[in-house]
Amino acid sequence: MGTLCQYVVDKTVEGPNPPFPSARMAKLFYEFLGRYNEWKLVRRQETIGIFVVFLFGLLALIPWFYPEIGISVSILMLILLFFAVKHYIKLNEKASHLYVNVHILQHHLIGKLEVGFCDHREPCQCVEEFRGYVLKKYDISLDIGSLR
C-alpha cells in the first residue's frame, strides 16, 4: 500500500542547529542577527545615497562651467539634489536608530554570555563554542568592542 520513509541523520556531522547555550539565547541571538543584517543593509543604502548626493551636486555645477548646456539643466539637477539629500537624511536617521538598537542587543547578548547563560549545571565550553561559531559563520565578534 504505502511506504513509510524515514531519513536517518548522521549524528557526527554538525546539524542545522548552531551551538546555542540555551533556547532563550537562541531567540536573543536571532533577534540581534536580524537587526544587525537590517542595519548593514541600511548602511549600504546610506553609502549609495551619499554617492548619489555628490553626483547630483557635481552635475548641478557642470552647466555653470559650460553655459551652452543651459541653466535649466542646472535647476533640474538642484531639484534632484534636494530630493537626494532629503532621502539621504532619512537613511542616516534610520541607520543611526538601528545602530543604537543593534548596539543595545549586542551588549545584552555579551552580558548574558559573560555570566555563562546556559542550561548546564557543571562547567562547560558552551559560551566559547558559541562565540567561535558566530565569529566563523557570521563574522561578528561577540567580545566587548565596536560593531563593524
Side-chain angles (χ1 to χ4, degrees):
M1 303 275 179
T3 306
L4 178 63
C5 295
Q6 185 175 5
Y7 295 99
V8 178
V9 178
D10 185 12
K11 298 288 183 186
T12 60
V13 178
E14 181 180 322
N17 297 331
F20 290 114
S22 69
R24 295 172 297 211
M25 185 64 82
K27 184 179 177 185
L28 178 62
F29 176 71
Y30 282 129
E31 183 178 348
F32 165 76
L33 189 61
R35 298 277 175 100
Y36 180 81
N37 289 333
E38 185 180 1
W39 172 63
K40 291 292 247 184
L41 177 67
V42 171
R43 277 189 49 208
R44 284 187 204 111
Q45 291 173 349
E46 184 183 23
T47 302
I48 292 169
I50 195 71
F51 176 74
V52 169
V53 165
F54 282 126
L55 180 67
F56 284 145
L58 288 175
L59 289 175
L61 294 177
I62 287 176
W64 291 0
F65 295 115
Y66 301 104
E68 63 272 0
I69 294 176
I71 198 73
S72 61
V73 173
S74 178
I75 293 172
L76 176 66
M77 288 300 134
L78 286 173
I79 291 170
L80 290 174
L81 176 65
F82 170 76
F83 288 114
V85 167
K86 191 174 177 180
H87 183 69
Y88 171 75
I89 290 171
K90 286 180 185 176
L91 282 174
N92 187 300
E93 288 173 357
K94 186 175 181 181
S96 298
H97 178 73
L98 285 171
Y99 175 76
V100 170
N101 287 340
V102 168
H103 195 68
I104 290 170
L105 282 172
Q106 182 194 27
H107 277 287
H108 188 61
L109 190 62
I110 289 171
K112 289 196 181 276
L113 288 174
E114 286 179 351
V115 297
F117 196 77
C118 72
D119 292 335
H120 299 114
R121 301 256 182 234
E122 66 277 349
C124 62
Q125 299 297 321
C126 292
V127 173
E128 289 79 18
E129 289 174 8
F130 179 66
R131 285 183 186 202
Y133 170 80
V134 171
L135 185 60
K136 181 179 173 187
K137 176 135 176 122
Y138 300 105
D139 195 31
I140 301 172
S141 175
L142 290 180
D143 296 323
I144 296 175
S146 64
L147 293 168
R148 295 189 248 163

